[in-house]
Amino acid sequence: MSNLKKIKKNKFKVIKKKGGKIFKFFSIKDKNFHGFGEVYISSISHKEVRAWKFHEKSYMNLFAVNGKIKFVFFCSISKKFKIFKIDSDKSQSIEVPPKIWYGFKNLSNTNSSIMNITNLRYSKKEVKSKPLSYIKFNWKKN
């Protein structure tokens, strides 16, 4: 089975309160909780593309903190792509298992921010990085 089938788009809970909201991104009780390593936020400029990354062991839970982002996932075994778009206005996240190449593009007219909650701390030994040209994908068309 392709690892792409294991990628899931999820909704997280938004609780409306007087004068604001509570965004419940993640809980130890969630099915997509695989342990806690670290949380970080990446900012990406208008129309910028960042690709390609590959995690040997880390599970990722990706959230659009602000803006709209397109994620492209690639399985090197099946040579197939899977595309998801998440938007900070729609309370969405993407659960990504290890061993999948991925990249992302900002679809907003301003900077967007992505929060990643991983089960492992960052390690240069665990992640691979390749240039944009490494995997052929038409970022302008798709």
Side-chain angles (χ1 to χ4, degrees), residues 58-76:
S58 287
Y59 283 82
M60 298 185 297
N61 287 279
L62 304 165
F63 304 84
V65 176
N66 72 294
K68 185 174 181 179
I69 302 115
K70 173 172 56 178
F71 286 89
V72 178
F73 302 97
F74 177 73
C75 177
S76 55

Side-chain angles (χ1 to χ4, degrees), residues 6-8 58-62 73 94-98 100:
K6 295 178 183 177
I7 301 170
K8 296 178 187 153
S58 287
Y59 283 82
M60 298 185 297
N61 287 279
L62 304 165
F73 302 97
I94 304 171
E95 175 187 355
V96 186
I100 296 174

Side-chain angles (χ1 to χ4, degrees), residues 58-109:
S58 287
Y59 283 82
M60 298 185 297
N61 287 279
L62 304 165
F63 304 84
V65 176
N66 72 294
K68 185 174 181 179
I69 302 115
K70 173 172 56 178
F71 286 89
V72 178
F73 302 97
F74 177 73
C75 177
S76 55
I77 297 166
S78 68
K79 304 293 185 208
K80 293 186 179 179
F81 293 95
K82 190 168 191 176
I83 300 169
F84 283 114
K85 294 176 184 175
I86 56 173
D87 188 324
S88 58
D89 292 335
K90 295 185 180 173
S91 309
Q92 302 165 325
S93 67
I94 304 171
E95 175 187 355
V96 186
K99 300 191 182 293
I100 296 174
W101 287 100
Y102 72 97
F104 51 93
K105 180 180 181 178
N106 181 2
L107 301 177
S108 297
N109 291 327

Side-chain angles (χ1 to χ4, degrees), residues 1-47:
M1 175 170 82
S2 169
N3 276 353
L4 294 178
K5 292 180 181 178
K6 295 178 183 177
I7 301 170
K8 296 178 187 153
K9 193 174 196 178
N10 301 311
K11 298 267 298 170
F12 59 85
K13 192 172 185 176
V14 178
I15 303 162
K16 294 182 181 178
K17 294 290 212 178
K18 185 178 179 180
K21 299 176 187 175
I22 296 171
F23 298 91
K24 188 175 179 184
F25 289 112
F26 206 56
S27 169
I28 195 169
K29 295 179 182 179
D30 291 344
K31 290 179 184 177
N32 55 334
F33 181 78
H34 300 279
F36 178 76
E38 64 186 7
V39 176
Y40 63 88
I41 294 177
S42 296
S43 177
I44 182 168
S45 301
H46 170 63
K47 293 188 179 181

